[in-house]
Amino acid sequence: MSSSKTTKAIEKTAHCSSMQEVRARVDALDDILVPLLVERGGYMTQAARIKASENQVRDEKRIEFIVARVRERAAAEGGNPDVIEAIYRSMMEAYIAFEHEEFARLRAGATQT
Ligand SMILES: C=C(O[C@@H]1C=C(C(=O)O)C=C[C@H]1O)C(=O)O
């Protein structure tokens, strides 16, 4: 059998012998995830600057597009699409709240980013 695809994310999960190891592995992944989430958040500031009106901050069509897309990505990596959808819906709500704050801040005379 020929192997065409690269390793799925689920196959990278290490077999652990203790909770100490589980937590060390989770902490190491959080050290990768948090900077990426901060970088993603920076695009909310960019969006807040570019959007012409505050009623454009929440975009339901875009939210549903992202949910469908990440569900497919999750399945392809051997993950649970329902878990990834829940994480993304919650994450996007937090980012939308942040984008509303940024929309106001950028129009209150603060330095533009
Ligand atoms: C960044 C945007 O603003 C909001 C934030 C989103 C996100 O966190 O990806 C998605 C949809 C928008 O409601 C956007 O419209 O793309």
Side-chain angles (χ1 to χ4, degrees), residues 2-19:
S2 65
S3 60
S4 55
K5 203 204 176 277
T6 51
T7 311
K8 290 179 179 179
I10 195 66
E11 291 159 6
K12 296 180 187 168
T13 302
H15 177 85
C16 297
S17 304
S18 66
M19 275 311 298

Side-chain angles (χ1 to χ4, degrees), residues 40 43-44 47 51 56-60 62-63 66 88 91-93 95-96 99:
R40 192 183 194 284
Y43 289 107
M44 303 306 122
K51 289 181 184 182
Q56 294 171 351
V57 168
R58 173 183 294 276
D59 186 328
E60 296 294 345
R62 174 67 176 160
I63 291 167
I66 289 173
Y88 263 77
M91 180 183 77
M92 287 191 285
E93 288 307 317
Y95 279 135
I96 287 165
E99 194 180 315

